[in-house]
Amino acid sequence: MSTFTILLGGDLIRTPRLDRQVEASRVIAADAGIGHARMLALVPELWVGDFDSVPPDLPAHLAAVPRQTFPAEKDKTDGELAIAAALERGATRLVLAGAFGGKRADHAFLHLALGLRLAEAGTDVLLTSGAQEAVPLLLGRAGFDYADGTLFSILGFSELSGLTVTGAKWPLDKVEVAFGSSLTISNEVKGRLDIALRHGRALLLAHPHPLPES
Protein backbone atom coordinates (compact mmCIF):
# COMPACT_ATOMS: atom_id res chain seq x y z
CA MET A 1 0.00 0.00 0.00
CA SER A 2 1.38 3.41 -1.01
CA THR A 3 0.32 6.04 1.54
CA PHE A 4 0.36 9.76 0.81
CA THR A 5 -0.35 12.48 3.34
CA ILE A 6 -2.02 15.52 1.78
CA LEU A 7 -1.48 18.67 3.84
CA LEU A 8 -4.60 20.80 3.45
CA GLY A 9 -5.24 24.30 4.77
CA GLY A 10 -7.74 23.50 7.52
CA ASP A 11 -7.17 23.33 11.26
CA LEU A 12 -4.72 20.67 12.43
CA ILE A 13 -3.24 19.70 15.79
CA ARG A 14 -0.38 17.27 16.32
CA THR A 15 -1.20 14.15 18.34
CA PRO A 16 0.58 10.81 18.78
CA ARG A 17 -2.20 9.16 16.78
CA LEU A 18 -1.69 11.56 13.87
CA ASP A 19 2.07 10.98 14.00
CA ARG A 20 1.47 7.24 13.61
CA GLN A 21 -0.97 7.80 10.76
CA VAL A 22 1.47 9.88 8.69
CA GLU A 23 4.62 7.97 9.61
CA ALA A 24 6.64 6.80 6.58
CA SER A 25 4.12 8.29 4.15
CA ARG A 26 4.95 10.41 1.14
CA VAL A 27 3.78 14.00 1.51
CA ILE A 28 2.22 16.58 -0.81
CA ALA A 29 1.20 20.03 0.41
CA ALA A 30 -1.70 22.05 -0.96
CA ASP A 31 -0.98 25.79 -0.82
CA ALA A 32 -1.34 26.97 2.83
CA GLY A 33 -1.09 23.35 3.98
CA ILE A 34 2.69 23.72 3.76
CA GLY A 35 2.44 25.39 7.17
CA HIS A 36 1.47 22.05 8.74
CA ALA A 37 4.70 20.49 7.46
CA ARG A 38 6.70 22.53 9.97
CA MET A 39 4.45 21.45 12.87
CA LEU A 40 4.60 17.77 11.88
CA ALA A 41 8.33 17.82 11.03
CA LEU A 42 7.59 16.67 7.48
CA VAL A 43 9.13 17.73 4.18
CA PRO A 44 6.74 17.39 1.22
CA GLU A 45 8.02 16.08 -2.09
CA LEU A 46 5.67 18.48 -3.91
CA TRP A 47 3.82 21.73 -3.17
CA VAL A 48 0.70 22.32 -5.27
CA GLY A 49 -1.49 25.39 -5.71
CA ASP A 50 -1.87 28.96 -6.86
CA PHE A 51 0.18 30.10 -3.86
CA ASP A 52 -2.20 32.85 -2.79
CA SER A 53 -2.06 31.63 0.84
CA VAL A 54 1.62 31.01 1.48
CA PRO A 55 2.40 31.20 5.21
CA PRO A 56 4.90 33.93 6.16
CA ASP A 57 8.40 33.13 7.39
CA LEU A 58 8.63 29.62 5.99
CA PRO A 59 11.90 27.86 6.81
CA ALA A 60 14.25 27.66 3.83
CA HIS A 61 13.91 23.87 3.51
CA LEU A 62 10.11 24.20 3.06
CA ALA A 63 10.27 27.25 0.81
CA ALA A 64 12.52 25.17 -1.46
CA VAL A 65 10.01 22.32 -1.92
CA PRO A 66 9.35 21.76 -5.66
CA ARG A 67 6.19 23.57 -6.76
CA GLN A 68 3.44 22.77 -9.24
CA THR A 69 1.81 26.13 -9.93
CA PHE A 70 -1.76 26.69 -11.13
CA PRO A 71 -3.64 29.91 -11.92
CA ALA A 72 -5.86 31.41 -9.24
CA GLU A 73 -8.89 31.10 -11.55
CA LYS A 74 -9.27 27.34 -12.00
CA ASP A 75 -12.00 24.70 -11.78
CA LYS A 76 -10.41 22.63 -8.97
CA THR A 77 -9.29 23.52 -5.47
CA ASP A 78 -5.65 23.30 -4.49
CA GLY A 79 -6.57 20.33 -2.30
CA GLU A 80 -8.16 18.41 -5.14
CA LEU A 81 -5.13 19.12 -7.32
CA ALA A 82 -2.81 17.81 -4.60
CA ILE A 83 -4.91 14.65 -4.28
CA ALA A 84 -4.78 14.17 -8.05
CA ALA A 85 -0.98 14.50 -7.95
CA ALA A 86 -0.80 11.80 -5.27
CA LEU A 87 -3.00 9.44 -7.28
CA GLU A 88 -0.82 10.02 -10.34
CA ARG A 89 2.16 8.94 -8.23
CA GLY A 90 0.47 5.66 -7.30
CA ALA A 91 -1.27 6.49 -4.01
CA THR A 92 -3.56 3.74 -2.75
CA ARG A 93 -4.12 5.29 0.69
CA LEU A 94 -4.63 8.98 1.47
CA VAL A 95 -4.40 10.79 4.80
CA LEU A 96 -6.10 14.15 4.27
CA ALA A 97 -4.63 16.24 7.10
CA GLY A 98 -6.42 19.52 7.77
CA ALA A 99 -9.47 18.28 5.87
CA PHE A 100 -12.21 19.86 8.01
CA GLY A 101 -11.64 23.40 6.92
CA GLY A 102 -11.10 26.36 9.19
CA LYS A 103 -12.41 29.58 7.75
CA ARG A 104 -13.87 27.77 4.72
CA ALA A 105 -16.84 25.48 5.44
CA ASP A 106 -17.26 24.90 1.70
CA HIS A 107 -13.80 23.30 1.56
CA ALA A 108 -14.67 21.05 4.51
CA PHE A 109 -17.81 19.84 2.73
CA LEU A 110 -15.86 19.25 -0.47
CA HIS A 111 -13.25 17.13 1.32
CA LEU A 112 -15.91 14.98 2.99
CA ALA A 113 -17.71 14.39 -0.31
CA LEU A 114 -14.45 13.85 -2.20
CA GLY A 115 -13.31 11.37 0.45
CA LEU A 116 -16.47 9.36 -0.16
CA ARG A 117 -15.98 9.39 -3.92
CA LEU A 118 -12.34 8.32 -3.64
CA ALA A 119 -13.21 5.47 -1.27
CA GLU A 120 -15.93 4.22 -3.59
CA ALA A 121 -13.34 4.21 -6.39
CA GLY A 122 -11.03 1.99 -4.35
CA THR A 123 -8.72 4.39 -2.48
CA ASP A 124 -8.35 4.01 1.29
CA VAL A 125 -9.10 7.47 2.77
CA LEU A 126 -8.72 9.03 6.22
CA LEU A 127 -9.68 12.64 6.85
CA THR A 128 -8.28 14.22 10.00
CA SER A 129 -7.75 17.38 12.00
CA GLY A 130 -5.74 15.52 14.63
CA ALA A 131 -8.63 15.98 17.08
CA GLN A 132 -11.30 14.38 14.92
CA GLU A 133 -11.21 12.04 11.94
CA ALA A 134 -13.59 10.72 9.31
CA VAL A 135 -13.61 7.42 7.45
CA PRO A 136 -15.94 6.70 4.51
CA LEU A 137 -18.30 3.80 5.19
CA LEU A 138 -18.49 1.45 2.24
CA LEU A 139 -21.28 -1.09 1.85
CA GLY A 140 -20.72 -4.11 4.04
CA ARG A 141 -19.17 -4.33 7.50
CA ALA A 142 -16.16 -2.56 9.01
CA GLY A 143 -14.51 -2.54 12.45
CA PHE A 144 -12.73 0.31 14.23
CA ASP A 145 -10.11 0.52 16.99
CA TYR A 146 -11.43 3.46 19.00
CA ALA A 147 -11.18 3.42 22.79
CA ASP A 148 -14.23 3.15 25.03
CA GLY A 149 -15.95 6.48 25.45
CA THR A 150 -14.85 7.88 22.08
CA LEU A 151 -17.54 10.17 20.70
CA PHE A 152 -18.65 9.36 17.15
CA SER A 153 -21.35 10.19 14.64
CA ILE A 154 -22.40 8.69 11.33
CA LEU A 155 -22.91 11.37 8.71
CA GLY A 156 -25.36 10.33 6.02
CA PHE A 157 -24.93 11.76 2.54
CA SER A 158 -28.12 10.00 1.44
CA GLU A 159 -30.87 7.89 2.94
CA LEU A 160 -29.34 4.88 4.68
CA SER A 161 -30.78 1.40 4.97
CA GLY A 162 -29.70 -1.71 6.82
CA LEU A 163 -27.50 0.30 9.18
CA THR A 164 -26.22 -1.79 12.09
CA VAL A 165 -23.99 -0.40 14.84
CA THR A 166 -22.56 -2.62 17.59
CA GLY A 167 -20.02 -1.83 20.30
CA ALA A 168 -21.74 1.46 21.05
CA LYS A 169 -23.68 3.05 23.88
CA TRP A 170 -26.69 3.24 21.56
CA PRO A 171 -26.56 0.26 19.18
CA LEU A 172 -28.64 0.08 16.03
CA ASP A 173 -29.95 -3.01 14.26
CA LYS A 174 -30.70 -2.83 10.52
CA VAL A 175 -32.36 0.59 10.78
CA GLU A 176 -33.50 2.94 8.05
CA VAL A 177 -32.16 6.50 8.41
CA ALA A 178 -33.74 9.38 6.52
CA PHE A 179 -31.42 11.85 4.81
CA GLY A 180 -30.85 14.71 7.24
CA SER A 181 -31.87 12.71 10.32
CA SER A 182 -30.00 13.30 13.59
CA LEU A 183 -30.51 9.69 14.71
CA THR A 184 -26.84 8.83 14.14
CA ILE A 185 -25.31 11.93 15.75
CA SER A 186 -23.39 11.80 19.08
CA ASN A 187 -22.93 8.16 20.03
CA GLU A 188 -20.12 6.65 22.14
CA VAL A 189 -17.89 3.63 21.67
CA LYS A 190 -18.52 0.84 24.15
CA GLY A 191 -16.38 -2.17 23.30
CA ARG A 192 -15.41 -3.08 19.74
CA LEU A 193 -17.13 -0.67 17.32
CA ASP A 194 -18.50 -2.38 14.22
CA ILE A 195 -20.68 -0.78 11.56
CA ALA A 196 -22.56 -2.46 8.73
CA LEU A 197 -24.37 -0.66 5.93
CA ARG A 198 -26.55 -2.27 3.27
CA HIS A 199 -27.37 0.80 1.16
CA GLY A 200 -26.47 4.49 1.11
CA ARG A 201 -23.49 6.82 1.43
CA ALA A 202 -22.05 7.80 4.80
CA LEU A 203 -18.93 8.61 6.79
CA LEU A 204 -17.94 7.78 10.33
CA LEU A 205 -16.80 10.92 12.18
CA ALA A 206 -14.96 10.15 15.43
CA HIS A 207 -13.20 12.18 18.11
CA PRO A 208 -10.26 10.03 19.29
CA HIS A 209 -8.57 13.07 20.83
CA PRO A 210 -10.53 14.22 23.93
CA LEU A 211 -12.65 17.27 23.28
CA PRO A 212 -12.40 20.25 25.69
CA GLU A 213 -15.23 20.61 28.18
CA SER A 214 -17.97 22.88 26.84
Side-chain angles (χ1 to χ4, degrees):
M1 180 174 290
S2 179
T3 299
F4 277 71
T5 295
I6 308 299
L7 300 177
L8 301 168
D11 296 337
L12 190 69
I13 65 170
R14 186 173 184 177
T15 66
R17 183 179 179 90
L18 178 59
D19 283 343
R20 292 192 298 271
Q21 290 166 341
V22 304
E23 185 178 10
S25 68
R26 297 170 66 178
V27 182
I28 295 177
D31 209 337
I34 193 75
H36 298 320
R38 175 164 41 185
M39 177 182 65
L40 297 175
L42 299 173
V43 179
E45 64 184 67
L46 182 67
W47 188 6
V48 173
D50 53 28
F51 304 104
D52 63 351
S53 305
V54 176
D57 304 320
L58 273 183
H61 70 286
L62 293 180
V65 169
R67 302 187 184 196
Q68 187 174 1
T69 304
F70 292 87
E73 295 184 358
K74 54 188 183 300
D75 57 5
K76 292 184 179 179
T77 65
D78 296 326
E80 189 172 5
L81 291 167
I83 290 168
L87 295 174
E88 289 170 0
R89 286 161 172 75
T92 56
R93 181 174 185 268
L94 295 171
V95 178
L96 306 183
F100 298 118
K103 298 178 181 178
R104 296 291 301 271
D106 51 351
H107 284 200
F109 174 81
L110 168 68
H111 296 147
L112 292 169
L114 182 56
L116 265 176
R117 178 163 65 85
L118 290 166
E120 291 172 348
T123 302
D124 189 353
V125 181
L126 172 72
L127 303 93
T128 180
S129 69
Q132 59 182 339
E133 58 189 45
V135 179
L137 294 173
L138 300 178
L139 302 185
R141 181 175 295 275
F144 302 90
D145 66 347
Y146 298 117
D148 276 10
T150 299
L151 177 69
F152 74 91
S153 298
I154 296 172
L155 307 181
F157 279 66
S158 70
E159 293 182 354
L160 307 178
S161 63
L163 177 65
T164 297
V165 179
T166 58
K169 184 176 182 179
W170 293 286
L172 298 171
D173 184 22
K174 299 183 180 67
V175 299
E176 309 293 309
V177 183
F179 178 59
S181 169
S182 62
L183 174 67
T184 56
I185 301 298
S186 296
N187 206 336
E188 293 180 20
V189 175
K190 189 176 180 180
R192 160 76 175 186
L193 178 63
D194 281 278
I195 300 173
L197 180 63
R198 183 170 59 83
H199 180 76
R201 309 177 95 179
L203 296 102
L204 171 68
L205 180 65
H207 298 264
H209 189 74
L211 294 171
E213 295 294 332
S214 57

